[in-house]
Amino acid sequence: MHPLLKLRKRLNTLGTTVSLGCDYDVFSRVVTFDTTWCDSIVGGELSLSNFAQLEWRKVWLFPGLSDAATRIELSSSFDLTSRCADAKLRVGLRRKFSKRGLSFVHTMPLDGKTGHCKLDLGASLTVPNELQLTDADVRDAARRLTRRGFGTGSTPPFAGPEMNFALDLDRLDIRLDL
């Protein structure tokens, strides 16, 4: 790792924050510039990296089921040198778990509402940490659908990175409340 000289300045005015940054790599003598504008009124973040890439990013945090909350991130970028645009949508969990997944337990009375015999059913839904969909994924899926028609062939329209979901029935208890 090379030593870096970092310069930063943050300005707060009218409900917005502008951050200016410059990094100088001493060994390779390379300078990079970053500018970020955070707007609290509209929300989101607009950044310009090294005068070459302009990016807008917005993150929404939603309440979730059970012990997880949903995080949705939308970003779009424009490369100023190649004039190529890109967009990404990421859906994930707000926090990471030591055991990936969500746990659900449902209790059912076996001998009526006032009975003393109950059945506890539990399941764990294992989900990936993050799902991502880019504009290239959408274009490839549209190309596949128009080439061979919907519902034919063995490849699904969105055949991107692995999205492993699993549901495990991990609890089956019969309780007697005395």
Side-chain angles (χ1 to χ4, degrees):
M1 187 161 151
H2 300 261
L4 291 174
L5 177 62
K6 295 185 175 218
L7 300 172
R8 301 285 186 265
K9 179 64 179 171
R10 181 173 288 174
L11 306 167
N12 295 316
T13 59
L14 302 173
T16 64
T17 302
V18 176
S19 300
L20 305 169
C22 175
D23 295 345
Y24 177 67
D25 188 334
V26 177
F27 286 151
S28 62
R29 297 182 180 187
V30 174
V31 178
T32 56
F33 297 96
D34 290 314
T35 303
T36 304
W37 176 53
C38 298
D39 185 19
S40 62
I41 297 168
V42 177
E45 184 177 282
L46 185 65
S47 62
L48 178 63
S49 299
N50 216 22
F51 302 111
Q53 182 160 354
L54 185 65
E55 179 182 34
W56 177 79
R57 190 170 59 126
K58 173 77 175 161
V59 176
W60 291 274
L61 302 174
F62 294 103
L65 299 172
S66 181
D67 52 358
T70 306
R71 178 181 191 270
I72 297 177
E73 179 181 336
L74 176 65
S75 66
S76 66
S77 62
F78 183 73
D79 190 335
L80 299 172
T81 56
S82 66
R83 295 189 174 142
C84 291
D86 188 23
K88 291 181 186 174
L89 175 67
R90 290 184 179 146
V91 179
L93 299 177
R94 218 190 282 194
R95 62 175 194 216
K96 308 294 183 232
F97 300 99
S98 56
K99 176 185 168 194
R100 288 189 342 193
L102 308 170
S103 298
F104 301 97
V105 176
H106 183 70
T107 301
M108 298 182 338
L110 293 177
D111 57 348
K113 290 187 178 188
T114 59
H116 299 288
C117 187
K118 295 183 173 72
L119 177 68
D120 291 336
L121 290 171
S124 294
L125 176 65
T126 305
V127 297
N129 285 334
E130 182 176 274
L131 300 176
Q132 177 175 299
L133 181 66
T134 65
D135 62 335
D137 295 333
V138 174
R139 271 187 265 125
D140 291 344
R143 238 182 265 124
R144 272 191 236 118
L145 286 174
T146 56
R147 209 177 310 137
R148 62 186 163 106
F150 184 73
T152 60
S154 60
T155 307
F158 290 102
E162 285 189 32
M163 294 188 275
N164 295 326
F165 291 89
L167 182 64
D168 295 323
L169 181 64
D170 53 8
R171 183 171 175 182
L172 182 61
D173 297 334
I174 295 177
R175 282 190 301 150
L176 293 172
D177 296 333
L178 303 174

